[in-house]
Amino acid sequence: MGEPANSSAIAAAFADGPAYVPYLVVGDPDYESSKAYVEALDRGGADVIELGLPFSEPIAEGSTIQEALVRSLDAGMTPERFFAFAEGLDVDAALVCMTYYNLIYQYGEGEGPRPFVERAAAAGIQGLVVPDLPAEEADPLREACDEFGLDLVFIVAPTTRADRLDRLMERVSGYVYVQARLGTTGARDDVSDQTTASLDRLREYDVPKAVGFGISSGEHAERIVAGGADGIIVGSALVDIVAEGVAEDLPTAAVADRLEALSRELTEGAERGRRSRAEATESV
């Protein structure tokens, strides 16, 4: 179950796995710095980059990302500036927009989600993640994504089960965002035991599984991929680096270097996890 990928770029990102999927808030702390930071993620090995489009009520986010969203909004980020930002990026990674449904629905001339999806596709966005959109209400967005060739990524929580899980997985495409633990986003020092249980529940569904919420090191990435994930999603640990740059008044290039270095650590950890899983399979 699960829709086939609409975006060939997203499908390719997971084809040779494991995929590294970093997240940053667009426009944090300002437009030009943010562009340099996203391009640093690409140099660090990103396969898919989730671009956060700020929304004033980000219910799924912890304090780290909420503060980044505020910085971006204060710096003047809007949907149109977001699309211009995406169009101006020099990256090889596939681009996914992560935002909230009210913003998508209100965009344009009252035609529901279609105008937003059409504009996103024109800007080079190849998928959407919408944390507050229930699967039961997702058909209009799913139809618009199919029309314009975007993937629609859903988040599966540790508590998502039974019929609701089936409904969600019937509508997902590209990859599924596996929430590693309950709660809001934020970097952690450990890997949740809930991750393995969530991956086991999703094993029967034929769509790549990327694990997020709490990954902050190469060791985390290694353990998660060794445990069966097809990719890792990293947000707060990267946004923390941006916040530290603001707090310490660091040059943009210095912050970009830190983002690229952590990205390389994460991709190398994910690759170690892939090798470990392959060796375990061969020994069975």
Side-chain angles (χ1 to χ4, degrees):
M1 298 175 67
E3 296 287 329
N6 283 330
S7 164
S8 59
I10 290 178
F14 285 89
D16 297 324
Y20 168 48
V21 186
Y23 164 95
L24 281 179
V25 176
V26 168
D28 174 30
D30 60 72
Y31 193 98
E32 291 302 324
S33 296
S34 182
K35 184 172 182 288
Y37 298 161
V38 171
E39 291 175 353
L41 301 179
D42 190 67
R43 292 194 302 274
D47 298 291
V48 177
I49 300 175
E50 291 184 352
L51 301 174
L53 171 55
F55 180 63
S56 58
E57 299 177 24
I59 58 174
E61 315 301 354
S63 59
T64 294
I65 293 178
Q66 285 185 11
E67 291 165 6
L69 295 169
V70 170
R71 288 193 297 268
S72 174
L73 290 169
D74 286 347
M77 184 51 58
T78 65
E80 284 307 324
R81 293 197 80 201
F82 174 89
F83 291 132
F85 181 97
E87 288 169 333
L89 286 172
D90 181 14
V91 298
D92 293 324
L95 301 177
V96 169
C97 170
M98 184 171 183
T99 194
Y100 288 77
Y101 192 58
N102 186 58
L103 193 154
I104 293 172
Y105 193 83
Q106 296 296 329
Y107 184 86
E109 300 298 325
E111 300 176 40
R114 188 179 183 278
F116 184 96
V117 177
E118 182 177 18
R119 180 68 183 93
I125 300 295
Q126 290 157 319
L128 298 176
V129 184
V130 189
D132 63 337
L133 178 63
E136 297 84 354
E137 300 174 20
D139 286 349
L141 183 57
R142 170 78 271 169
E143 291 166 6
C145 285
D146 289 345
E147 179 181 354
F148 293 103
L150 274 67
D151 283 317
L152 182 56
V153 177
F154 284 95
I155 299 175
V156 173
T159 51
T160 307
R161 300 178 183 276
D163 290 347
R164 188 166 190 281
L165 180 61
D166 284 339
R167 287 193 295 272
L168 187 153
M169 296 304 291
E170 286 170 356
R171 293 165 174 82
V172 73
S173 68
Y175 60 98
V176 60
Y177 187 143
V178 183
Q179 183 178 330
R181 64 182 74 236
L182 293 174
T184 56
T185 56
R188 304 295 202 279
D189 293 327
D190 63 334
V191 175
S192 172
D193 291 338
Q194 294 171 332
T195 303
T196 301
S198 293
L199 289 170
D200 287 344
R201 276 203 330 281
L202 295 170
R203 202 172 302 280
E204 66 183 271
Y205 299 102
D206 186 22
V207 63
K209 292 90 178 171
V211 173
F213 276 57
I215 300 171
S216 62
S217 69
E219 180 184 357
H220 289 172
E222 180 179 358
R223 290 173 58 189
I224 286 171
V225 172
D230 301 305
I232 55 166
I233 300 172
V234 182
S236 293
L238 298 165
V239 176
D240 278 338
I241 291 174
V242 176
E244 289 164 5
V246 173
E248 299 171 20
D249 197 24
L250 295 176
T252 296
V255 178
D257 286 346
R258 290 185 181 184
L259 291 167
E260 183 176 349
L262 179 55
S263 293
R264 293 191 185 282
E265 176 189 337
L266 291 160
T267 55
E268 289 167 3
E271 177 58 24
R272 290 195 304 272
R274 184 196 65 78
R275 291 197 301 266
S276 176
R277 190 168 73 194
E279 290 167 1
T281 301
E282 290 171 1
S283 66
V284 172

